[in-house]
């Protein structure tokens, strides 16, 4: 069994790459994993696309409000452990848009796909509170469409965000993948920036296909990280 605690204690810079599995224990469903349950127009890949927002903003709004916002959710023990470890010596690079790492106090954080709780009007770029957005996606003052600052299907990731993520991977002597099956590109491709001497570990309930030499810690991440908080 890989000694995760020892590895974290000895590492100089720990970079976590995290996904939906980190937030399911906070009651946030993994909308991608229910992919087969959606009708075509309701599939995340369509509903959450730049094309859908441009052509059918009301449908986009309905879908996002129905499926994505869980403002009652609180950070769980994984968010807390990762915030504590990385605030001392590391970075979290997350695919999650739920803002729970931030809520847990993480300050060395790259939100690779943005944050649902940061919103703006596409016309005038004014910021909005998510509570306003839950009521309406139209900015009354100028008629502009309000949207969450998340990366939609068909949209590029901002250069500054990619660069921050790459820097966090390159800095790490210990890279830990938690709560993601590593199928979503370009996020999964970040691993190619790992240093040759970095230790790569994945924490997951089921085994994942990992690069040669990587370590697998099988188990429930809430139990694995409980001893770090
Ligand atoms: Zn506006």
């Amino acid at each position: 069994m890989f000694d995760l605690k020892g590895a974290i204690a000895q590492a100089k810079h720990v970079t976590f790459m995290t996904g939906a599995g980190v937030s399911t224990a906070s009651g946030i469903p993994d909308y991608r994993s229910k992919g087969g349950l959606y009708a075509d127009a309701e599939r995340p890949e369509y509903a959450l696309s730049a094309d859908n927002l441009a052509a059918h903003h009301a449908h986009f709004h309905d879908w996002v409000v129905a499926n994505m916002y869980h403002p009652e959710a609180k950070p769980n023990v994984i968010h807390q452990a990762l915030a504590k470890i990385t605030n001392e010596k590391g970075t979290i690079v997350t695919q999650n848009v739920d803002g729970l790492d931030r809520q847990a106090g993480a300050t060395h954080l790259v939100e690779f796909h943005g944050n649902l709780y940061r919103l703006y009007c596409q016309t005038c770029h004014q910021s909005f509170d998510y509570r306003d957005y839950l009521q309406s996606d139209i900015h009354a003052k100028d008629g502009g469409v309000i949207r969450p600052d998340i990366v939609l299907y068909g949209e590029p990731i901002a250069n500054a965000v990619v660069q921050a993520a790459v820097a966090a991977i390159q800095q790490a002597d210990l890279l830990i993948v938690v709560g993601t099956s590593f199928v979503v590109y370009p996020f999964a491709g970040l691993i190619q920036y790992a240093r040759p001497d970095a230790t790569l570990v994945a924490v997951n309930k089921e085994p994942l296909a990992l690069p040669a030499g990587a370590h697998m810690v099988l188990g429930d991440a809430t139990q694995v990280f409980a001893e770090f908080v």
Side-chain angles (χ1 to χ4, degrees):
M1 182 75 174
F2 181 74
D3 177 14
L4 185 65
K5 194 170 189 178
I8 290 173
Q10 284 169 24
K12 291 191 174 66
H13 191 103
V14 187
T15 293
F16 289 94
M17 300 177 69
T18 70
V22 166
S23 291
T24 47
S26 292
I28 297 182
D30 177 3
Y31 64 85
R32 289 180 209 279
S33 73
K34 337 187 260 183
L37 301 177
Y38 290 105
D40 276 358
E42 303 305 316
R43 279 185 306 114
E45 292 79 1
Y46 175 73
L48 280 178
S49 67
D51 288 347
N52 190 37
L53 175 61
H56 313 287
H57 70 86
H59 175 264
F60 176 90
H61 180 240
D62 288 346
W63 197 94
V64 168
V65 169
N67 293 285
M68 305 281 290
Y69 281 91
H70 302 275
E72 71 292 346
K74 294 282 172 278
N76 64 56
V77 67
I78 313 170
H79 298 109
Q80 290 161 359
L82 272 47
K84 185 176 165 189
I85 295 163
T86 56
N87 283 357
E88 188 190 327
K89 54 171 186 180
T91 315
I92 300 167
V93 181
T94 188
Q95 299 173 76
N96 298 337
V97 292
D98 54 39
L100 291 178
D101 294 293
R102 200 171 285 276
Q103 256 197 68
T107 52
H108 302 167
L109 175 65
V110 180
E111 291 172 318
F112 200 66
H113 292 160
N115 187 322
L116 277 173
Y117 296 89
R118 195 169 60 221
L119 300 109
Y120 65 93
C121 169
Q122 294 192 118
T123 300
C124 70
H125 294 277
Q126 182 180 319
S127 297
F128 285 85
D129 189 280
Y130 79 91
R131 283 163 289 207
D132 299 325
Y133 184 67
L134 297 184
Q135 302 305 313
S136 168
D137 68 337
I138 298 299
H139 185 195
K141 195 170 139 197
D142 59 15
V145 173
I146 302 165
R147 62 166 286 177
D149 193 1
I150 61 174
V151 178
L152 303 179
Y153 291 94
E155 285 183 336
I157 292 167
N159 260 333
V161 172
V162 173
Q163 282 168 18
V166 168
I169 306 297
Q170 289 175 333
Q171 261 187 297
D173 54 346
L174 177 60
L175 266 168
I176 306 178
V177 177
V178 192
T180 176
S181 57
F182 247 73
V183 294
V184 183
Y185 280 82
F187 186 80
L190 287 172
I191 207 78
Q192 71 182 293
Y193 296 101
R195 282 165 25 185
D197 62 338
T199 301
L200 174 63
V201 188
V203 179
N204 205 53
K205 276 182 197 159
E206 291 101 36
L208 299 172
L210 293 173
H215 304 273
M216 189 75 228
V217 174
L218 283 174
D220 185 325
T222 58
Q223 286 165 18
V224 172
F225 287 103
E227 62 177 314
F228 291 93
V229 294

